[in-house]
Amino acid sequence: MGYYPVFLHIQERRCVVIGTGPEVERKIQGLLEAGARVTVISEQPSLSLLELKERGDITLHSRPYSEGDLAGVFLAISATTENVELSRRIAEEARCEHVLLNVMDITDLCTWIAPALVKRGKLTMAISTSALSPAMARLV
């Protein structure tokens, strides 16, 4: 399967991140830097997520994902790899709601994949191996 490379303008668009952990926090930071309105759904939010909520940077729901969480959302990232059935439910809702979805590490449920990035000031280069070897893309 091929991928169409694109940079999205997400300023002021609703984006949802489901899950917790260091990789999720990096994704959230990238969304915030792009100007997105970020909602996080996390059963066990980290101190970092709680701080982002306190500063008003994100909306945080300290609970499990539930159907309806993707209504009106433009883009979503799910870190639910450990629960494939939950990941499938999220992907089904995203499909029905026409939400661009990345399920980390489960590419067959994704409508987009995240490239490795190289940033130098205003220059950004995206590197992809079409999800075959994310580690190689990061190395390059």
Side-chain angles (χ1 to χ4, degrees):
M1 167 193 331
Y3 290 92
Y4 183 76
V6 65
F7 286 83
L8 299 172
H9 184 263
I10 60 171
Q11 187 169 0
E12 293 301 317
R13 291 190 184 245
R14 289 190 56 218
C15 297
V16 169
V17 179
I18 303 164
T20 193
E23 185 63 24
V24 166
E25 291 172 13
R26 283 190 288 279
K27 302 290 187 187
I28 291 167
Q29 194 57 46
L31 293 171
L32 291 172
E33 289 171 6
R37 293 187 349 238
V38 180
T39 297
V40 179
I41 301 165
S42 178
E43 291 184 65
Q44 299 175 337
S46 66
L47 289 176
S48 178
L49 292 180
L50 294 171
E51 288 171 3
L52 287 170
K53 176 187 175 183
E54 286 300 312
R55 288 198 316 251
D57 292 342
I58 65 170
T59 300
L60 176 63
H61 299 292
S62 300
R63 60 166 175 76
Y65 158 85
S66 63
E67 190 172 330
D69 282 339
L70 299 183
V73 170
F74 178 72
L75 180 140
I77 299 171
S78 177
T80 54
T81 306
E82 74 288 343
N83 186 335
V84 176
E85 181 53 39
L86 173 60
S87 297
R88 290 186 195 290
R89 288 189 5 243
I90 293 167
E92 178 61 21
E93 181 178 359
R95 188 187 63 73
C96 291
E97 294 290 335
H98 306 287
V99 174
L100 298 173
L101 175 68
N102 176 268
V103 179
M104 292 168 51
D105 299 327
I106 308 179
T107 56
D108 64 315
L109 297 180
C110 297
T111 55
W112 65 277
I113 57 173
L117 298 176
V118 176
K119 292 185 176 187
R120 301 289 186 271
K122 295 288 184 188
L123 173 68
T124 302
M125 294 186 296
I127 302 163
S128 174
T129 59
S130 296
L132 295 176
S133 180
M136 177 58 79
R138 280 191 300 276
L139 180 64
V140 170

